[in-house]
Amino acid sequence: MKPVTVRTLLKMKADGERIAMITAYDYPTAALLDEAGIHVLLVGDSLGMVVQGHATTVPVTLDDVVYHASLVSRAAKRALVVADLPFLTAHLSQDEVLRAAGRLLQEGGAQAVKMEGGKELAPLVTALVTAGIPVMAHIGLLPQSVHALGGFAVQGRTLEAAERMREDALALEAAGAFAVVIEMVPAEIAAWISGQLRIPTIGIGAGPGCDGQVLVFHDMMGLTSGYIPKHNKPYANLGQVVTEAAKAYLADVAAGTFPGEAQTTHLKPEERAHLEAHLRLQRTEP
Ligand code: KIV
């Protein structure tokens, strides 16, 4: 199968084919998702919440995302790898943003970056694209602004908010973004915006009218404890699988039934005969 590029995603939208994106933060998970045919792997700063144990994405650093992107990009043979510019990065000087995004591509191995924000970021998007760095925009709920917003709430419920969001999306498209994530927006508004863009929209909590969908790996696979957002669909319960396996191992170790013969290496008879002459060996065979 051909690798997914930003052009593939534009063509998918033109052909009415939906895009599937999942977050990934490590090599084995990324390899499984890539083999499953997922189009885009997002090294999201959600890693702060689902991997690092923080309450928000704010503490995640550029070094963190570079590191996780390097693990994911090593595994991705076909999927497009997109890495998040973490908190504040998109609001530094243009030079600093270019350098930060450059690190995500050069050291992290990502093929594109994602940036949270509206039309105020348009000049930056153009600067990045001009430098050869594809940009995925992100509008609606901006988790990096959680403290300014006062929580993780649905956005775009009023006429003004919906109009502003549409203007943001159009400005980011005109600036050169190749896709736009729409997070936690009523389905009607997200579909209305999607219908006006040439570039694909990728929704999360934004209804089925977007051109693609994204879910956070740990949420969809049942690895997150505590609050699970309404838009999540549990496709697996890996949390339960891991807990049951750990308990079975604990019981085996306590009972002395692990390791069994299948997991054990013994001395060959001639080795044993030789060593027994020098050592007081115990019998370990059943
Ligand atoms: O960081 C992330 O995982 C994201 C997705 C929720 C879109 O931004």
Side-chain angles (χ1 to χ4, degrees), residues 96-133:
E96 285 172 290
V97 183
L98 280 168
R99 253 184 271 282
R103 283 193 65 199
L104 292 174
L105 268 67
Q106 284 196 305
E107 296 170 46
Q111 286 128 3
V113 302
K114 180 167 78 61
M115 267 192 331
E116 292 185 14
K119 56 178 181 263
E120 70 285 356
L121 296 184
L124 209 51
V125 171
T126 304
L128 287 164
V129 173
T130 306
I133 302 176

Side-chain angles (χ1 to χ4, degrees), residues 209-225:
C210 292
D211 305 300
Q213 298 293 328
V214 53
L215 282 177
V216 171
F217 177 83
H218 291 65
D219 291 344
M220 70 181 289
M221 299 301 180
L223 284 167
T224 321
S225 55

Side-chain angles (χ1 to χ4, degrees), residues 45 57-58 84-89 91 116 142-147:
D45 60 1
T57 61
V58 173
D84 250 338
L85 276 169
F87 179 67
L88 220 56
T89 322
H91 300 277
E116 292 185 14
L142 307 180
Q144 291 173 9
S145 304
V146 61
H147 298 310

Side-chain angles (χ1 to χ4, degrees), residues 23 25 42 44-46 84 114 116 138 181 183 204 214 216:
T23 65
Y25 318 101
L42 172 65
D45 60 1
S46 51
D84 250 338
K114 180 167 78 61
E116 292 185 14
H138 183 153
V181 167
E183 179 160 0
I204 175 158
V214 53
V216 171

Side-chain angles (χ1 to χ4, degrees), residues 237-272:
N237 192 348
L238 297 189
Q240 192 182 335
V241 172
V242 171
T243 304
E244 280 169 11
K247 283 185 176 166
Y249 168 70
L250 182 69
D252 275 358
V253 171
T257 49
F258 176 84
E261 267 307 285
Q263 296 90 31
T264 302
T265 306
H266 296 285
L267 290 169
K268 293 181 186 143
E270 64 276 19
E271 290 169 338
R272 184 175 181 99

Side-chain angles (χ1 to χ4, degrees), residues 19-32:
I19 298 160
M21 174 158 105
I22 300 182
T23 65
Y25 318 101
D26 64 68
Y27 182 93
T29 308
L32 290 171

